[in-house]
Amino acid sequence: MKFRYVRKVATLGLALSLTVGYTQSIASAESKANLENKLDNIKNQQSNNQEKIDSSKEKLSENNKKQNSLIHKLDESQKKIDSINKNIQGKEQDIDAEKQKIKKLEDEIKVITKRINERNEFLKKRIRSMYINGGSVNYIEVIMGSNSFGNFLDRVLALNLIAEQDRQILTDQQNDKKKQESKKQAYQKELTSLEDNLANLKTLKANLDEEKQNQKKLLTQLKAEENDIHDDIMDKQEQEKVLQSQQSIIKNQLAALVKEEEAKKKAEAERQAKERAAVEAAKSAKQSTASHSSSPSISHTQSPAVSHSDPVPSVNADFIKPAAGYISSGFGHRSFDGGFHPGIDIANSIGTPIHAAASGVVSNAYHSSSYGNVVMIAHSVNGKTYTTVYAHMTSYSVSTGQTVSQGQVIGSMGNTGESFGSHLHFELYIGPWTPPPHNGSVNPLNYIH
Ligand SMILES: [Zn+2]
């Protein structure tokens, strides 16, 4: 949100500067060099933008690759989780079945135990009735009471047989019970192992769930990053659109300027032709009357060197001194620090008015950290473009695009920016202003009245 807001404001600012540029354009207020400089700036910004868009697009494709691989991984995690869930279900069913088997065995064991107890009870009763209250008083009596020895033997044998049978039945039942109990133990062992298995599966599933959550989180992050990159690209593309419209306006301005210059040249040629004709006419008139001839020489050309290291011996007096005061620092290489001073310093008190050194158009009026409050004016003198710079002002009273005439007050002297004490730092360039090392700067004293 914030991002988009900033973008809108930036676009508005650019659009505003466009309209300002447009209203001043046709009046040929800006020099060709200035316009070409602006075009260069735009081209730089465009290639800068393109580089950023390219790198953003690279980031985007990397981001998409990561997202795709993550989606694939998430898919695999889900498959694993599904299969484990199935496994868990199977194990739980197995455990239920095992528990049912154990329950059945326990019921059976209960029945057998009951039978054994009953048998025991029955045997005790029988023995009691046989030996204690079997009609006769006791065993001896039973034996002694027999009518004959054969009868006695029969009785003993019968007793033994019955006892033997009872014992056999009891032993069988007890064996049965033992068998069932060992079966139950085996089932219990199986159950324990199944339950161990289930616990392991559940741990595995928990780990997979966590892994999946992490993958989801990462995917969300990547999606957010993708949105940011998209915003970035859109922002740069919007800037590009603004730059393109700016470019076409400046190109139109340049074309208009060229047309105007051509028209001027044509007018000048016509004027010169007329003048020549007049001179010829005068000559022939003079020749017919007097004997000595004179040819007018109006050329006063001079070509100052563009590099500031070259000496500029010739003096052009088209500029005036921009402020009253004494020259506290001259132009050129300074002996005390070996640095290069691209202008002159005129010292006076704060508030001393500062005047445009020549007529022109304000190409810049802004606050710079080094220049402080600074005004730059583009001049066209004798078909040549110059730029003057007025730095460290307390304040300025002109704005970019404004036309000023020679001597007009543009601000007041001050101590803003990288300045120590109230003074005007004044620079003069042949052509446009340039950043350090300030190519094109010349000694203003060679151009001032
Ligand atoms: Zn200075």
Side-chain angles (χ1 to χ4, degrees):
M1 278 301 143
K2 199 178 170 194
F3 192 65
R4 285 183 194 282
Y5 173 72
V6 168
R7 182 162 67 220
K8 264 182 195 152
V9 169
T11 310
L12 194 69
L14 277 168
L16 218 61
S17 70
L18 275 181
T19 43
V20 168
Y22 195 69
T23 46
Q24 75 176 71
S25 70
I26 311 301
S28 86
E30 290 197 87
S31 72
K32 221 169 146 186
N34 251 347
L35 290 173
E36 274 159 2
N37 213 20
K38 277 187 181 173
L39 275 180
D40 280 352
N41 270 342
I42 288 171
K43 257 185 207 155
N44 279 344
Q45 283 181 56
Q46 279 176 323
S47 76
N48 240 348
N49 262 354
Q50 195 50 50
E51 259 171 46
K52 277 178 189 155
I53 288 174
D54 287 348
S55 106
S56 284
K57 279 187 176 163
E58 227 168 85
K59 270 192 214 155
L60 198 64
S61 93
E62 234 168 76
N63 176 295
N64 285 339
K65 256 186 231 161
K66 276 187 199 162
Q67 280 197 49
N68 284 340
S69 110
L70 240 138
I71 287 169
H72 183 72
K73 276 185 195 161
L74 259 171
D75 207 46
E76 277 181 351
S77 291
Q78 193 50 55
K79 271 183 201 153
K80 275 188 209 160
I81 288 170
D82 287 349
S83 114
I84 281 181
N85 274 340
K86 235 181 245 170
N87 243 326
I88 286 174
Q89 257 180 7
K91 285 284 179 256
E92 276 169 349
Q93 278 169 359
D94 287 354
I95 285 170
D96 277 351
E98 209 65 23
K99 277 180 179 167
Q100 262 172 1
K101 273 197 232 161
I102 290 170
K103 174 97 184 14
K104 207 177 150 205
L105 268 177
E106 277 172 349
D107 287 349
E108 280 173 26
I109 289 167
K110 244 184 232 164
V111 170
I112 292 169
T113 309
K114 201 182 161 201
R115 251 189 249 143
I116 289 169
N117 288 342
E118 279 169 3
R119 176 68 50 180
N120 258 335
E121 217 45 50
F122 174 76
L123 278 179
K124 273 184 207 159
K125 263 187 200 159
R126 183 156 31 217
I127 287 164
R128 224 178 282 138
S129 70
M130 241 187 246
Y131 294 94
I132 300 163
N133 53 345
S136 324
V137 181
N138 58 42
Y139 186 63
I140 300 298
E141 258 178 50
V142 171
I143 295 164
M144 291 308 160
S146 1
N147 297 332
S148 64
F149 185 67
N151 194 300
F152 163 75
L153 271 181
D154 280 351
R155 280 190 169 219
V156 170
L157 279 173
L159 278 174
N160 274 340
L161 199 67
I162 289 166
E164 182 55 36
Q165 272 175 7
D166 282 342
R167 216 176 10 255
Q168 195 55 52
I169 288 169
L170 193 64
T171 309
D172 279 355
Q173 283 175 335
Q174 271 164 346
N175 281 345
D176 243 17
K177 191 184 170 187
K178 256 185 212 156
K179 221 190 271 170
Q180 299 295 67
E181 267 169 353
S182 82
K183 234 192 226 173
K184 184 185 160 189
Q185 258 177 9
Y187 286 165
Q188 209 96 45
K189 216 174 160 191
E190 175 68 16
L191 180 65
T192 309
S193 126
L194 279 171
E195 278 168 345
D196 282 353
N197 258 330
L198 183 65
N200 285 340
L201 282 171
K202 280 185 174 164
T203 308
L204 197 63
K205 186 182 177 265
N207 287 346
L208 276 170
D209 279 342
E210 204 188 321
E211 196 182 296
K212 191 181 147 190
Q213 284 314 311
N214 286 340
Q215 286 165 341
K216 269 189 180 168
K217 223 194 261 168
L218 201 60
L219 192 64
T220 311
Q221 280 171 2
L222 281 171
K223 281 215 171 109
E225 192 189 284
E226 187 189 2
N227 282 342
D228 282 353
I229 297 172
H230 271 305
D231 272 359
D232 248 1
I233 291 177
M234 258 168 59
D235 181 52
K236 291 287 173 298
Q237 281 169 343
E238 239 170 75
Q239 273 182 26
E240 172 62 20
K241 268 185 227 153
V242 172
L243 284 172
Q244 275 171 4
S245 50
Q246 226 174 352
Q247 196 179 36
S248 73
I249 286 172
I250 292 173
K251 275 182 181 164
N252 284 345
Q253 287 178 351
L254 259 176
L257 205 65
V258 168
K259 227 179 181 178
E260 210 175 308
E261 274 174 4
E262 276 167 1
K264 266 188 200 160
K265 260 185 213 159
K266 204 177 153 197
E268 175 67 13
E270 278 167 7
R271 192 190 60 75
Q272 281 178 359
K274 266 185 200 162
E275 211 177 70
R276 266 199 302 277
V279 167
E280 285 306 318
K283 235 192 221 170
S284 53
K286 265 188 185 171
Q287 268 172 353
S288 61
T289 52
S291 56
H292 82 271
S293 69
S294 74
S295 59
S297 164
I298 16 165
S299 107
H300 61 284
T301 49
Q302 54 106 7
S303 52
V306 170
S307 171
H308 50 66
S309 54
D310 288 348
V312 184
S314 48
V315 169
N316 183 322
D318 284 315
F319 294 88
I320 59 165
K321 192 179 170 192
Y326 70 96
I327 309 293
S328 60
S329 180
F331 174 89
H333 289 278
R334 285 191 293 220
S335 53
F336 66 89
D337 63 356
F340 172 72
H341 193 219
I344 56 169
D345 291 344
I346 301 171
N348 209 332
S349 55
I350 285 185
T352 305
I354 291 168
H355 310 270
S359 299
V361 174
V362 176
S363 59
N364 258 318
Y366 67 109
H367 181 87
S368 135
S369 57
S370 52
Y371 278 140
N373 290 323
V374 63
V375 169
M376 296 185 187
I377 302 178
H379 313 274
S380 179
V381 179
N382 295 328
K384 234 183 162 113
T385 307
Y386 298 87
T387 305
T388 48
V389 177
Y390 313 76
H392 309 311
M393 290 194 275
T394 299
S395 62
Y396 49 85
S397 52
V398 292
S399 54
T400 305
Q402 187 179 330
T403 306
V404 293
S405 48
Q406 189 172 52
Q408 185 178 331
V409 172
I410 57 166
S412 59
M413 195 179 282
N415 190 24
T416 55
E418 285 169 16
S419 165
F420 304 94
S422 171
H423 76 285
L424 169 70
H425 171 87
F426 177 64
E427 293 175 7
L428 175 63
Y429 290 83
I430 295 175
W433 174 84
T434 61
H438 300 289
N439 288 326
S441 63
V442 292
N443 189 349
L445 291 179
N446 289 332
Y447 293 82
I448 290 175
H449 277 301

